């Protein structure tokens, strides 16, 4: 008779189940928020040992327990498992809590970070005859919309005049910058599909 294999066994997960392993989702969300297993356990009423086994893929989780776990991170079961991008409760980002900084003389940026969604939103206010003093270049994609006034978006050496309501998208790896050549204030909203700030 052969001796039993002492190495731990990991079960192969059926990819056709159609959802990610809950333990992997738990680990990712917990790590993003800097939470320990003990903190998560205290909030959802499940044991630390159970949550650790779930993260390692050694156990499964019942729907009711999954709902309690998802609630810790502001999700419902569907959004926790990625079936919807929204959370179970709205995320409020009060204006006064958004990071504000002067990007250049006469240019004020307001930054909204949404790490769980994988993007950042920047609002840029440009005083008349102001602009960024250097070219920007970073990974990812930018989606730019002018919400007030007129801005010149310079991309890869070419100027693009954008009026309120105009929108453009570009690969952010090429040099780009913004300026307000007019006599009126201007504003833009940029969605950065990478972490720049």
């Amino acid at each position: 008779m052969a001796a039993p294999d002492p190495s731990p066994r990991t079960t192969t997960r059926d990819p056709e189940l159609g959802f990610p392993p809950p333990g992997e989702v738990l680990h990712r969300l917990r790590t993003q928020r800097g939470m320990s297993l003990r903190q998560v356990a205290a909030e959802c009423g499940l044991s630390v040992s159970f949550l650790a086994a779930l993260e390692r893929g050694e156990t499964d989780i019942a729907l009711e327990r999954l709902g309690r776990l998802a609630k810790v991170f502001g999700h419902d079961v569907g959004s926790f498992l990625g079936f919807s991008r929204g959370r179970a409760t709205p995320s409020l980002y009060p204006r006064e809590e958004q990071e504000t900084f002067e990007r250049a003389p006469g240019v004020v940026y307001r930054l909204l970070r949404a790490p769980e969604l994988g993007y950042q939103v920047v609002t840029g206010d440009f005083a008349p005859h102001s602009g960024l003093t250097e070219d920007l270049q970073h990974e990812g994609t930018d989606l730019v919309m002018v919400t007030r006034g007129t801005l010149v978006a310079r991309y890869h050496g070419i100027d693009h005049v954008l009026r309120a309501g105009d929108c453009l998208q570009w690969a952010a790896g090429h040099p780009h910058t913004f300026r307000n050549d007019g006599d009126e204030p201007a504003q833009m909203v940029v969605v950065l599909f990478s972490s720049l700030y």
Side-chain angles (χ1 to χ4, degrees):
M1 178 186 265
D5 182 0
S7 61
R9 296 183 186 273
T10 57
T11 57
T12 304
R13 192 164 194 287
D14 181 355
E16 293 188 18
L17 288 175
F19 59 90
E24 289 181 13
V25 177
L26 166 61
H27 180 74
R28 179 173 38 82
L29 292 175
R30 184 176 67 77
T31 304
Q32 284 176 352
R33 288 166 175 74
M35 295 178 75
S36 69
L37 282 172
R38 189 172 306 282
Q39 290 171 310
V40 175
E43 289 195 36
C44 68
L46 301 173
S47 73
V48 173
S49 60
F50 172 77
L51 293 176
L54 183 65
E55 278 196 2
R56 291 190 303 267
E58 297 172 354
T59 190
D60 206 349
I61 186 168
L63 191 56
E64 184 178 329
R65 287 180 165 194
L66 184 60
R68 288 170 29 206
L69 179 60
K71 189 175 178 182
V72 171
F73 301 100
H75 285 275
D76 58 23
V77 171
S79 63
F80 183 84
L81 294 175
F83 292 114
S84 64
R85 290 187 60 80
R87 294 168 57 158
T89 57
S91 298
L92 175 64
Y93 304 96
R95 182 179 173 90
E96 61 274 4
E97 292 178 16
Q98 297 170 27
E99 184 179 345
T100 303
F101 53 98
E102 187 175 24
R103 190 66 176 78
V107 179
V108 176
Y109 273 18
R110 179 169 280 106
L111 174 63
L112 168 67
R113 290 185 174 92
E116 67 274 6
L117 298 179
Y119 61 80
Q120 295 178 331
V121 178
V122 174
T123 303
D125 289 297
F126 290 75
H129 305 286
S130 68
L132 301 181
T133 55
E134 80 281 343
D135 282 345
L136 304 173
Q137 216 171 340
H138 54 91
E139 65 183 60
T141 302
D142 294 346
L143 180 65
V144 181
M145 175 178 268
V146 173
T147 54
R148 183 177 57 177
T150 301
L151 280 175
V152 177
R154 186 170 182 82
Y155 180 73
H156 208 42
I158 299 172
D159 286 350
H160 303 272
V161 178
L162 303 174
R163 291 172 184 76
D166 289 345
C167 187
L168 62 76
Q169 179 179 344
W170 58 40
H174 294 287
H176 56 278
T177 190
F178 303 94
R179 70 179 189 273
N180 179 2
D181 292 340
D183 296 326
E184 299 294 326
Q187 184 179 66
M188 69 176 183
V189 175
V190 182
V191 180
L192 305 169
F193 293 98
S194 62
S195 294
L196 178 59
Y197 296 99

